[in-house]
């Protein structure tokens, strides 16, 4: 018999373990703590005898059965490497409608939206991509993501794609869902009405206030912030627009960034860093600012501002994962259940890999896609950090974003040491935050 991996936690004179294999927090008493200490010292055959000093045989057997029922204790032969379902099929595609942009954001990882290429997707390639998704899925709920560059430069094509998907829905018993990431500069009455009519889940990129967005400029160098604020007003007032903030050395105060975007009535506000823009000193500040954001997140909950807390997406999602004991072995959907398709119909694991020809995994015209090599690299234990399998944050980190790993370490499933440290800091803080929640707060968060 073996136990799950676990760490011990103490809070307000109470003792807990976090079972990180099953993503479960368990409150324990002194007897259980002593038993766990014995388990780390003695062979299984000796445990019952060693435990007899402070528990009866009946208590011992009840404890063992309880551990088994929780999955904390299991037969050793069931332990093994993680595996992926090779029969898994995609249910989502990101369409790179145009590899080009009307902005020239200085930190853009996509070469100002070009991804080492220029041009736009034509109608035939777009329709072929939809057909490819239908032929390569086992789901009846399909997601189309409009992306670029700036996808609204191809608004006519977006309208054509949505209409084509409606035709396919009527003949294939499918349901299509749409989402879009845009810079917000091209939103207008016609676009807004189309978004609302077709329930397109829309997110804009914006990094805080005017000063925070000084790197977000048009091709001629003029700032875009005021246009973005004006053009997004209608959707913001209806609570239909999310905002994704990118952290750079210019806007490291994440609480201030969140508070500003919240005053603008954005629906959700995910925040993440442009990792390659942060030097060593700036990254240390970034870690501290993450801690400040977690403390502010906790204050929102304690003050009953639940809706506001839920907008801090990365923290709320992780807290939800803890509450529902959700194990996540995949780092993201890239090549597992989603792919990106460039302007020529070439297929990539996700939109961030479109710049790299060696990560081209197929083409929609040949109806050919090979995801297994990419996925095998994600699960390759020989290239992972050796401590990943025994890390308490492994289901939170999931070895990190494959693209960021590749950029930072050259290996898809090996995060940088500083990213690894940050994930541990964040997740440990969230474990203690969750333990500190009252029953009413838990109910309000997860009802």
């Amino acid at each position: 018999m073996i136990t799950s991996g676990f760490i011990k936690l103490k809070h307000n004179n109470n003792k807990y373990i976090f079972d990180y294999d099953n993503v479960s927090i368990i409150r324990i008493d002194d007897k259980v703590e002593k038993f766990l200490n014995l388990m780390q010292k003695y062979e299984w055959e000796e445990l019952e005898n060693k435990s007899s000093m402070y528990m009866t045989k009946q208590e011992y057997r009840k404890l063992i059965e309880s551990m088994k029922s929780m999955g904390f204790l299991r037969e050793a032969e069931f332990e093994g490497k993680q595996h992926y379902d090779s029969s898994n099929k995609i249910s989502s595609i990101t369409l790179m409608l145009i590899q080009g942009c009307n902005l020239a954001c200085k930190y853009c990882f996509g070469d100002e939206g070009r991804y080492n290429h220029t041009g736009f997707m034509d109608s035939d390639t777009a329709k072929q991509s939809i057909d490819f998704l239908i032929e390569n899925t086992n789901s009846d709920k399909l997601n189309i993501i409009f992306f670029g560059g700036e996808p609204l430069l191809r608004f006519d094509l977006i309208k054509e794609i949505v209409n084509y998907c409606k035709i396919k829905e009527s003949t294939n018993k499918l349901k299509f869902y749409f989402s879009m990431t845009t810079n917000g500069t091209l939103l207008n009455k016609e676009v807004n009405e189309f978004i609302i009519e077709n329930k397109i889940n829309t997110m804009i990129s914006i990094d805080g206030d005017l000063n925070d967005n000084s790197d977000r400029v048009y091709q001629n160098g003029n700032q875009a912030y005021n246009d973005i604020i004006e053009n997004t007003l209608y959707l913001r007032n209806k609570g239909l627009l999310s905002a994704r903030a990118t952290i750079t050395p210019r806007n490291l105060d994440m609480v201030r960034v969140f508070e500003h975007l919240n005053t603008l009535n954005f629906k959700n506000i995910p925040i993440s860093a442009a990792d390659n823009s942060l030097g060593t000193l700036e990254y240390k500040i970034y870690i501290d600012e993450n801690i400040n954001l977690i403390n502010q997140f906790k204050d929102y909950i304690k003050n009953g501002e639940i809706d506001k807390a839920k907008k801090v997406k990365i923290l709320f999602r992780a807290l939800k994962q803890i509450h529902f004991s959700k194990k996540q072995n995949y780092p993201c959907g890239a090549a597992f259940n989603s792919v990106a398709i460039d302007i020529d119909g070439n297929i990539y694991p996700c939109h961030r890999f479109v710049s790299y020809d060696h990560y081209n995994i197929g083409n929609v015209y040949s109806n050919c896609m090979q995801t297994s090599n990419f996925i095998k690299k994600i699960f390759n234990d020989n290239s992972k950090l050796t401590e990943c399998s025994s890390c308490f944050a492994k289901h939170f980190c999931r070895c990190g974003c494959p693209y960021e790993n590749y950029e930072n370490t050259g290996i898809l499933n090996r995060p940088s040491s500083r990213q690894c440290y940050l994930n541990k800091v964040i997740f440990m803080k969230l474990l203690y935050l969750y333990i500190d929640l009252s029953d009413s707060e838990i109910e309000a968060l997860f009802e």
Side-chain angles (χ1 to χ4, degrees):
M1 300 290 287
I2 61 170
T3 66
S4 295
F6 67 93
I7 57 172
K8 297 178 183 178
L9 306 170
K10 288 185 179 180
H11 182 68
N12 290 342
N13 297 319
N14 293 317
K15 299 175 182 179
Y16 304 84
I17 58 170
F18 174 58
D19 171 356
Y20 53 77
D21 285 334
N22 292 303
V23 195
S24 178
I25 296 176
I26 306 164
R27 186 173 172 179
I28 62 172
D29 58 22
D30 290 340
K31 287 184 177 181
V32 175
E33 182 182 31
K34 289 178 181 178
F35 179 75
L36 293 173
N37 290 337
L38 289 176
M39 288 194 74
Q40 294 175 319
K41 293 180 181 179
Y42 297 101
E43 296 296 327
W44 181 257
E45 293 77 12
E46 302 176 83
L47 280 175
E48 183 172 1
N49 183 49
K50 295 292 183 181
S51 301
S52 62
M53 294 181 289
Y54 56 88
M55 68 171 67
T56 66
K57 287 186 176 181
Q58 184 178 5
E59 288 174 326
Y60 172 84
R61 290 167 184 165
K62 185 177 180 180
L63 175 60
I64 295 301
E65 289 305 313
S66 177
M67 287 181 165
K68 287 181 179 179
S69 67
M70 290 186 293
F72 181 72
L73 192 63
R74 58 192 184 276
E75 298 292 340
E77 58 263 28
F78 293 112
E79 188 73 0
K81 293 183 178 181
Q82 294 177 347
H83 296 284
Y84 66 92
D85 182 359
S86 59
S87 66
N88 203 40
K89 293 192 173 185
I90 60 171
S91 59
S92 175
I93 55 173
T94 298
L95 297 178
M96 316 294 286
L97 301 183
I98 179 169
Q99 288 180 228
C101 189
N102 60 332
L103 296 189
C105 302
K106 296 177 182 178
Y107 58 76
C108 180
F109 69 85
D111 183 34
E112 297 178 8
R114 293 187 295 266
Y115 297 85
N116 295 333
H117 193 19
T118 56
F120 55 86
M121 183 177 288
D122 61 27
S123 174
D124 184 62
T125 301
K127 291 177 180 178
Q128 190 72 30
S129 298
I130 302 302
D131 292 343
F132 174 84
L133 173 60
I134 293 172
E135 292 172 15
N136 289 276
T137 189
N138 52 13
S139 175
D140 58 1
K141 297 177 180 179
L142 305 177
N143 189 38
I144 309 297
I145 303 168
F146 301 123
F147 207 82
E150 173 47 50
L152 286 176
L153 289 169
R154 300 287 289 137
F155 181 51
D156 286 346
L157 181 59
I158 291 175
K159 291 189 289 185
E160 189 173 350
I161 292 169
V162 171
N163 183 60
Y164 187 72
C165 288
K166 288 180 178 179
I167 294 172
K168 291 296 182 179
E169 280 183 337
S170 64
T171 58
N172 292 275
K173 296 182 180 179
L174 299 170
K175 177 62 179 175
F176 282 92
Y177 298 87
F178 304 100
S179 57
M180 174 170 62
T181 298
T182 170
N183 60 37
T185 61
L186 300 176
L187 291 170
N188 56 36
K189 183 179 179 181
E190 180 188 4
V191 174
N192 291 340
E193 289 176 351
F194 185 81
I195 286 172
I196 293 170
E197 179 185 355
N198 294 283
K199 299 179 181 179
I200 300 176
N201 188 13
T202 304
M203 177 181 292
I204 71 161
S205 304
I206 187 169
D207 304 331
D209 61 21
L210 176 62
N211 290 330
D212 296 329
N213 285 274
S214 59
D215 288 335
R216 188 173 292 277
V217 296
Y218 289 104
Q219 292 287 338
N220 62 9
N222 292 337
Q223 290 199 358
Y225 179 80
N226 289 331
D227 289 342
I228 295 170
I229 295 303
E230 180 179 350
N231 294 348
T232 59
L233 179 62
Y234 184 76
L235 291 180
R236 286 190 285 114
N237 284 346
K238 286 188 168 293
L240 296 176
L241 196 62
S242 297
R244 183 187 187 279
T246 298
I247 299 300
T248 67
R250 192 179 296 281
N251 63 338
L252 287 165
D253 188 340
M254 297 170 71
V255 172
R256 180 184 58 77
V257 168
F258 175 82
E259 286 285 352
H260 176 73
L261 295 178
N262 185 62
T263 63
L264 295 175
N265 199 34
F266 284 106
K267 179 174 64 172
N268 291 308
I269 308 171
I271 303 175
S272 62
D275 190 84
N276 59 0
S277 73
L278 303 179
T280 301
L281 178 59
E282 292 155 341
Y283 204 87
K284 289 180 179 178
I285 298 172
Y286 175 57
I287 292 172
D288 291 338
E289 292 301 332
N290 270 275
I291 294 172
N292 290 339
L293 183 62
I294 293 171
N295 292 336
Q296 186 66 55
F297 174 67
K298 181 177 181 179
D299 287 344
Y300 295 151
I301 298 170
K302 294 297 180 181
N303 293 333
E305 299 177 278
I306 302 301
D307 289 340
K308 193 174 183 180
K310 288 181 177 181
K311 290 184 180 183
V312 191
K313 291 305 291 184
I314 188 171
L315 300 184
F316 177 64
R317 186 165 57 241
L319 210 62
K320 193 174 180 180
Q321 182 183 356
I322 295 169
H323 178 72
F324 290 106
S325 299
K326 186 177 181 181
K327 294 191 286 186
Q328 293 181 242
N329 295 321
Y330 298 172
C332 59
F336 290 99
N337 57 24
S338 64
V339 294
I341 300 171
D342 77 358
I343 58 176
D344 298 317
N346 295 313
I347 304 170
Y348 295 84
C350 82
H351 65 281
R352 302 186 79 177
F353 282 100
V354 170
S355 294
Y356 295 110
D357 289 340
H358 55 281
Y359 278 115
N360 181 331
I361 57 174
N363 188 278
V364 296
Y365 284 104
S366 62
N367 196 26
C368 175
M369 178 176 64
Q370 178 55 260
T371 61
S372 61
N373 287 338
F374 182 87
I375 296 174
K376 284 176 182 176
K377 289 179 181 179
I378 298 296
F379 280 88
N380 183 2
D381 288 335
N382 293 325
S383 56
K384 282 183 183 178
L385 293 171
T386 55
E387 59 266 32
C388 281
S389 61
S390 58
C391 176
F392 74 92
K394 66 180 182 180
H395 287 295
F396 169 69
C397 164
R398 305 182 296 282
C399 286
C401 166
Y403 172 83
E404 291 182 358
N405 291 349
Y406 184 73
E407 286 286 290
N408 291 325
T409 68
I411 300 173
L412 289 174
N413 64 354
R414 178 173 289 192
S416 65
S417 57
R418 67 183 194 175
Q419 181 66 50
C420 205
Y421 177 75
L422 173 64
N423 286 330
K424 291 176 182 178
V425 169
I426 292 174
F427 199 57
M428 181 62 78
K429 291 283 291 184
L430 289 174
L431 287 173
Y432 277 103
L433 191 160
Y434 183 81
I435 290 172
D436 196 51
L437 294 177
S438 67
D439 290 342
S440 61
E441 288 163 348
I442 288 175
E443 183 179 357
L445 279 166
F446 307 113
E447 61 183 354

